[in-house]
Amino acid sequence: MMHFKNLRIKSLKCVALVVLMALTLASCGDKPKGTAETYIISNFTNNPGVGEFFTDSMERLYFCDFSSMNTAVICPNPNCSHTNEKSCSSYGMWNHPILFDQSIYFFDTEFVFSGDDTSVNMIIYKANTDGTNRSVVHTEKGISLAWYSRMVVHNNIAYFPAEDIEFEKGNSTDFSTGYLCSFDLSSGEFKKITEIYSGYHGGCFIYGIYNDKIYMDVDASDIKIDYSDLDALIRERDSEDYEDSEDSYMCYNIPEGEFVKSDIPNFVFVNEDYFIYNDESTVILDKNGDIALEIDAENTDFALSVVNGKLFLEHDGVCYDIESKKKYKLNNSGCEIISYFNDQYILRYPNESDNVAYSYKAMSESELIGDEIK
C-alpha cells in the first residue's frame, strides 16, 4: 500500500514541477496560439490565454496549464503539505494575481490604525512564478482594491476600481469615493485616473474593453441603507433618490481620457471582438459596431461566454455560431467555456468534493458542440 502511496506522491510532485515550468515559460517570450492580450481578472480566476489562476477555500493559489491540462498549487517545495501559510508560498497571492514577465503580481490591503483613526493602503507585490522572492513594487496610500472587484488587463496595463473608504472610530461608515486606477506592468507606473463614484454602498463592475473603451456598471447611494431591513430596501427602491439603472452604465475612453455615460446601456458582455447588450432582444455587435447576431434569450445576464466566435449560453445548453447565425446543442452541462487553446475549448467545472476549487477539461469542437437546432 505504501508503494502506491509513494508513487502517487511522486506523480503529484511531477505534475507540480510541470505546471511551475509551464507557468515560467508562459510569462515570457513568444506566446502560443490562444494567448489573450486583453483579459479579465476576477476574484478567483485569471485567464491570460495560456492558463488560469484560481484560489481555493484556504486562499491557496493554483494554476491550470492549458497546454498539459495539469493543475497544481503554486509552491516549489516538493515536501510541503500546503497547510502552513507561513512556510508555503501558495498563500497570500489571492488578490488579483497577474502573470507577467516571469513574475506574478498581486495586490493586498494594509489597514493603518492610529488612535481612533483608521486608513487603508494598497500594496502591489511582485513574486517569482513559484510564489517566492516577494517584494513591494508600489504602495498607494488612502485607497484599497477589494478582492471581489473585476480588473481588466489591456496592453500590459491593469485597470481596476479602488476605494477611499470613510472610517469612524475604526469602523467603515459605508461611504466611499471610488476611482478608476491603472498599473503599468512594464514600467511600474501607477495612476489614479478619475473619480467614478462617491456615496454610500458604492461599487463598480468592469465588464471589459471594446474599441478602446472600458465599460463598467457604477453605482452609489446618497443615503445609507440598512441592508438587513427589507422594508428599507423597498423604500430606497421606490424613493425619488433611486436612480434609473441605465444611469449606472458608464465607460472610460482610454485614448481620450474621458469618463462618460455609455451610449448603449444594459450591456451584459464586453470584449475586444464583441459587445452584447439586452434590449427587446439580445444584440451582439461585432468589433465594427455592426449587428452580428440578434437572439431571443432569457438567461443572458449570467452563464454567458463568447469563445472562438461562438456565443455560449451554458444555462440553456446551447450555443450560436455568430458568423453563420446557426444554433447548436451543447453536449456538456454544469461547466463554463472559458478559453480556446491549441484548437480545443477549455471548460471549467466547480469541484464540490475536493478542496481544489475547480477542475478543467479540454474538448474539441466536435465533442463539445452537438447537432444544429432548427
Side-chain angles (χ1 to χ4, degrees), residues 240-261:
E240 294 181 357
D241 294 328
Y242 187 80
E243 294 184 352
D244 188 343
S245 61
E246 291 190 0
D247 291 340
S248 65
Y249 291 97
M250 307 293 291
C251 69
Y252 176 74
N253 188 317
I254 298 175
E256 300 296 331
E258 295 178 341
F259 179 66
V260 295
K261 181 179 177 181

Short mmCIF file of all heavy atoms in Angstrom, two decimals, residues 240-261:
data_model
loop_
_atom_site.label_atom_id
_atom_site.label_comp_id
_atom_site.label_asym_id
_atom_site.label_seq_id
_atom_site.Cartn_x
_atom_site.Cartn_y
_atom_site.Cartn_z
N GLU A 240 -37.50 58.88 -4.61
CA GLU A 240 -37.11 59.76 -5.71
C GLU A 240 -35.61 59.78 -5.92
O GLU A 240 -35.11 60.11 -7.00
CB GLU A 240 -37.60 61.19 -5.44
CG GLU A 240 -39.12 61.33 -5.44
CD GLU A 240 -39.55 62.77 -5.19
OE1 GLU A 240 -38.65 63.60 -4.98
OE2 GLU A 240 -40.77 63.03 -5.19
N ASP A 241 -34.85 59.41 -4.86
CA ASP A 241 -33.39 59.42 -4.97
C ASP A 241 -32.85 58.20 -5.69
O ASP A 241 -31.67 58.15 -6.03
CB ASP A 241 -32.76 59.47 -3.57
CG ASP A 241 -33.05 60.78 -2.86
OD1 ASP A 241 -33.17 61.80 -3.56
OD2 ASP A 241 -33.20 60.78 -1.63
N TYR A 242 -33.71 57.20 -5.90
CA TYR A 242 -33.25 55.98 -6.57
C TYR A 242 -33.08 56.25 -8.05
O TYR A 242 -34.01 56.67 -8.74
CB TYR A 242 -34.26 54.85 -6.35
CG TYR A 242 -33.78 53.52 -6.86
CD1 TYR A 242 -32.88 52.75 -6.11
CD2 TYR A 242 -34.20 53.03 -8.09
CE1 TYR A 242 -32.44 51.53 -6.58
CE2 TYR A 242 -33.76 51.81 -8.56
CZ TYR A 242 -32.88 51.07 -7.79
OH TYR A 242 -32.44 49.86 -8.26
N GLU A 243 -31.88 56.00 -8.57
CA GLU A 243 -31.58 56.30 -9.96
C GLU A 243 -32.00 55.15 -10.88
O GLU A 243 -31.96 53.99 -10.50
CB GLU A 243 -30.08 56.56 -10.12
CG GLU A 243 -29.59 57.80 -9.39
CD GLU A 243 -28.13 58.04 -9.66
OE1 GLU A 243 -27.48 57.17 -10.28
OE2 GLU A 243 -27.63 59.11 -9.27
N ASP A 244 -32.40 55.52 -12.07
CA ASP A 244 -32.65 54.52 -13.10
C ASP A 244 -31.37 53.72 -13.33
O ASP A 244 -30.28 54.28 -13.42
CB ASP A 244 -33.06 55.22 -14.39
CG ASP A 244 -33.53 54.25 -15.46
OD1 ASP A 244 -33.24 53.05 -15.33
OD2 ASP A 244 -34.18 54.72 -16.41
N SER A 245 -31.52 52.40 -13.42
CA SER A 245 -30.34 51.55 -13.56
C SER A 245 -29.53 51.88 -14.80
O SER A 245 -28.33 51.64 -14.84
CB SER A 245 -30.77 50.07 -13.60
OG SER A 245 -31.62 49.83 -14.71
N GLU A 246 -30.17 52.42 -15.82
CA GLU A 246 -29.44 52.75 -17.05
C GLU A 246 -28.41 53.84 -16.81
O GLU A 246 -27.43 53.95 -17.54
CB GLU A 246 -30.41 53.17 -18.15
CG GLU A 246 -31.28 52.04 -18.68
CD GLU A 246 -32.05 52.44 -19.93
OE1 GLU A 246 -31.91 53.60 -20.36
OE2 GLU A 246 -32.79 51.61 -20.46
N ASP A 247 -28.60 54.67 -15.77
CA ASP A 247 -27.67 55.75 -15.49
C ASP A 247 -26.34 55.23 -14.95
O ASP A 247 -25.37 55.98 -14.86
CB ASP A 247 -28.28 56.73 -14.47
CG ASP A 247 -29.43 57.51 -15.05
OD1 ASP A 247 -29.51 57.59 -16.29
OD2 ASP A 247 -30.26 58.02 -14.29
N SER A 248 -26.29 53.98 -14.56
CA SER A 248 -25.07 53.44 -13.97
C SER A 248 -24.13 52.83 -15.00
O SER A 248 -23.02 52.44 -14.66
CB SER A 248 -25.42 52.39 -12.91
OG SER A 248 -26.04 51.26 -13.50
N TYR A 249 -24.57 52.73 -16.26
CA TYR A 249 -23.72 52.14 -17.29
C TYR A 249 -22.78 53.22 -17.86
O TYR A 249 -23.21 54.14 -18.55
CB TYR A 249 -24.57 51.54 -18.40
CG TYR A 249 -25.32 50.30 -17.96
CD1 TYR A 249 -26.65 50.37 -17.54
CD2 TYR A 249 -24.68 49.06 -17.94
CE1 TYR A 249 -27.33 49.24 -17.12
CE2 TYR A 249 -25.35 47.92 -17.53
CZ TYR A 249 -26.67 48.02 -17.12
OH TYR A 249 -27.35 46.88 -16.69
N MET A 250 -21.49 53.07 -17.54
CA MET A 250 -20.51 54.09 -17.88
C MET A 250 -19.38 53.48 -18.70
O MET A 250 -19.24 52.25 -18.81
CB MET A 250 -19.93 54.70 -16.59
CG MET A 250 -20.96 55.22 -15.61
SD MET A 250 -21.89 56.64 -16.23
CE MET A 250 -20.58 57.89 -16.23
N CYS A 251 -18.56 54.36 -19.27
CA CYS A 251 -17.37 53.87 -19.98
C CYS A 251 -16.26 54.90 -19.87
O CYS A 251 -16.51 56.10 -19.72
CB CYS A 251 -17.66 53.53 -21.44
SG CYS A 251 -18.02 54.94 -22.50
N TYR A 252 -15.04 54.41 -19.93
CA TYR A 252 -13.86 55.27 -19.92
C TYR A 252 -13.13 55.10 -21.24
O TYR A 252 -12.71 53.99 -21.59
CB TYR A 252 -12.93 54.92 -18.76
CG TYR A 252 -11.65 55.73 -18.77
CD1 TYR A 252 -11.65 57.07 -18.41
CD2 TYR A 252 -10.44 55.15 -19.18
CE1 TYR A 252 -10.48 57.82 -18.45
CE2 TYR A 252 -9.27 55.89 -19.21
CZ TYR A 252 -9.30 57.23 -18.84
OH TYR A 252 -8.14 57.98 -18.88
N ASN A 253 -13.02 56.20 -22.00
CA ASN A 253 -12.33 56.20 -23.28
C ASN A 253 -10.83 56.34 -23.01
O ASN A 253 -10.36 57.40 -22.59
CB ASN A 253 -12.85 57.35 -24.14
CG ASN A 253 -12.31 57.32 -25.56
OD1 ASN A 253 -11.14 57.07 -25.78
ND2 ASN A 253 -13.19 57.57 -26.52
N ILE A 254 -10.08 55.27 -23.24
CA ILE A 254 -8.66 55.27 -22.89
C ILE A 254 -7.87 56.31 -23.69
O ILE A 254 -7.13 57.12 -23.10
CB ILE A 254 -8.06 53.86 -23.08
CG1 ILE A 254 -8.75 52.87 -22.13
CG2 ILE A 254 -6.56 53.87 -22.83
CD1 ILE A 254 -8.32 51.43 -22.32
N PRO A 255 -7.97 56.37 -25.03
CA PRO A 255 -7.18 57.37 -25.77
C PRO A 255 -7.56 58.81 -25.44
O PRO A 255 -6.69 59.69 -25.37
CB PRO A 255 -7.48 57.05 -27.24
CG PRO A 255 -7.96 55.64 -27.24
CD PRO A 255 -8.70 55.46 -25.95
N GLU A 256 -8.86 59.06 -25.25
CA GLU A 256 -9.33 60.43 -25.00
C GLU A 256 -9.27 60.82 -23.52
O GLU A 256 -9.34 62.01 -23.19
CB GLU A 256 -10.77 60.59 -25.51
CG GLU A 256 -10.94 60.32 -26.99
CD GLU A 256 -10.18 61.31 -27.85
OE1 GLU A 256 -10.00 62.46 -27.41
OE2 GLU A 256 -9.76 60.93 -28.97
N GLY A 257 -9.17 59.85 -22.64
CA GLY A 257 -9.14 60.15 -21.21
C GLY A 257 -10.45 60.68 -20.67
O GLY A 257 -10.46 61.48 -19.73
N GLU A 258 -11.58 60.21 -21.23
CA GLU A 258 -12.90 60.72 -20.83
C GLU A 258 -13.71 59.62 -20.16
O GLU A 258 -13.79 58.49 -20.65
CB GLU A 258 -13.66 61.24 -22.05
CG GLU A 258 -13.03 62.45 -22.70
CD GLU A 258 -13.80 62.91 -23.94
OE1 GLU A 258 -14.59 62.10 -24.48
OE2 GLU A 258 -13.61 64.07 -24.34
N PHE A 259 -14.34 59.96 -19.03
CA PHE A 259 -15.25 59.07 -18.32
C PHE A 259 -16.67 59.58 -18.52
O PHE A 259 -17.03 60.66 -18.03
CB PHE A 259 -14.89 59.04 -16.84
CG PHE A 259 -15.78 58.15 -16.01
CD1 PHE A 259 -15.79 56.78 -16.19
CD2 PHE A 259 -16.60 58.71 -15.03
CE1 PHE A 259 -16.61 55.97 -15.42
CE2 PHE A 259 -17.42 57.90 -14.26
CZ PHE A 259 -17.42 56.53 -14.46
N VAL A 260 -17.48 58.84 -19.28
CA VAL A 260 -18.79 59.33 -19.67
C VAL A 260 -19.82 58.20 -19.57
O VAL A 260 -19.48 57.02 -19.43
CB VAL A 260 -18.79 59.87 -21.13
CG1 VAL A 260 -17.89 61.09 -21.25
CG2 VAL A 260 -18.34 58.79 -22.10
N LYS A 261 -21.09 58.59 -19.69
CA LYS A 261 -22.18 57.62 -19.72
C LYS A 261 -22.10 56.83 -21.02
O LYS A 261 -21.86 57.38 -22.10
CB LYS A 261 -23.52 58.34 -19.61
CG LYS A 261 -24.73 57.41 -19.61
CD LYS A 261 -26.01 58.21 -19.47
CE LYS A 261 -27.23 57.30 -19.54
NZ LYS A 261 -28.50 58.08 -19.41
#
